[in-house]
């Protein structure tokens, strides 16, 4: 299935506020689809979304880690903000670190 089709599916699930099918899609998704899925989970912001977002804060792809941080900041709980601050401290990719810092600054 193409990325565009998967992203369109994710958007429909977000409209219906269904995190489970998004999480299922993430199992075999590439980085671009993971980014879209994380954005969607941030908007849904249910308990399953929280768990999935925090799982991707440590993903090997910096683009996915940044998307997870941004999604966590959309959820906007103290726990999620703390996880993002922690990720900022341990982040090794300079560009990702800057993007996370920018997202954290704009969320205040």
């Amino acid at each position: 299935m193409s990325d565009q089709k998967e992203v369109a599916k994710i958007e429909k699930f977000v409209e219906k506020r269904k995190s489970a099918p998004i999480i299922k899609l993430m199992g075999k998704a590439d980085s671009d689809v993971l980014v879209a899925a994380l954005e969607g989970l941030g908007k849904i912001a249910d308990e399953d979304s929280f768990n999935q977002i925090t799982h991707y804060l440590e993903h090997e792809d910096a683009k996915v880690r940044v998307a997870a941080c941004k999604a966590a900041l959309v959820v906007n709980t103290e726990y999620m903000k703390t996880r993002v601050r922690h990720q900022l401290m341990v982040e090794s990719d300079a560009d990702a670190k800057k993007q996370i810092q920018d997202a954290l600054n704009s969320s205040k």
Side-chain angles (χ1 to χ4, degrees):
M1 185 179 298
S2 76
D3 286 358
Q4 285 183 326
K5 286 183 181 177
E6 288 185 346
V7 170
K9 275 186 174 182
I10 290 167
E11 289 169 359
K12 286 185 174 143
F13 292 136
V14 170
E15 286 173 23
K16 295 177 183 177
R17 305 201 51 76
K18 293 185 176 187
S19 60
I22 295 173
I23 292 168
K24 188 175 179 183
L25 273 174
M26 293 172 82
K28 297 179 266 177
D30 66 14
S31 295
D32 292 332
V33 174
L34 287 176
V35 168
L38 288 163
E39 289 171 3
L41 291 176
K43 293 174 186 172
I44 295 172
D46 62 5
E47 188 173 344
D48 291 335
S49 297
F50 296 170
N51 293 334
Q52 198 70 7
I53 291 167
T54 57
H55 173 73
Y56 281 90
L57 289 170
E58 298 171 7
H59 193 271
E60 70 251 6
D61 186 331
K63 182 168 71 171
V64 174
R65 291 193 305 271
V66 169
C69 287
K70 289 179 179 180
L73 292 170
V74 170
V75 171
N76 198 28
T77 64
E78 282 306 311
Y79 174 75
M80 292 300 227
K81 288 182 200 172
T82 300
R83 288 297 309 262
V84 171
R85 285 191 290 271
H86 172 74
Q87 184 59 38
L88 184 62
M89 289 185 341
V90 299
E91 182 59 56
S92 58
D93 183 285
D95 186 49
K97 192 168 194 151
K98 181 184 181 329
Q99 290 179 57
I100 294 166
Q101 183 66 61
D102 291 347
L104 195 56
N105 291 344
S106 66
S107 74
K108 294 179 180 177

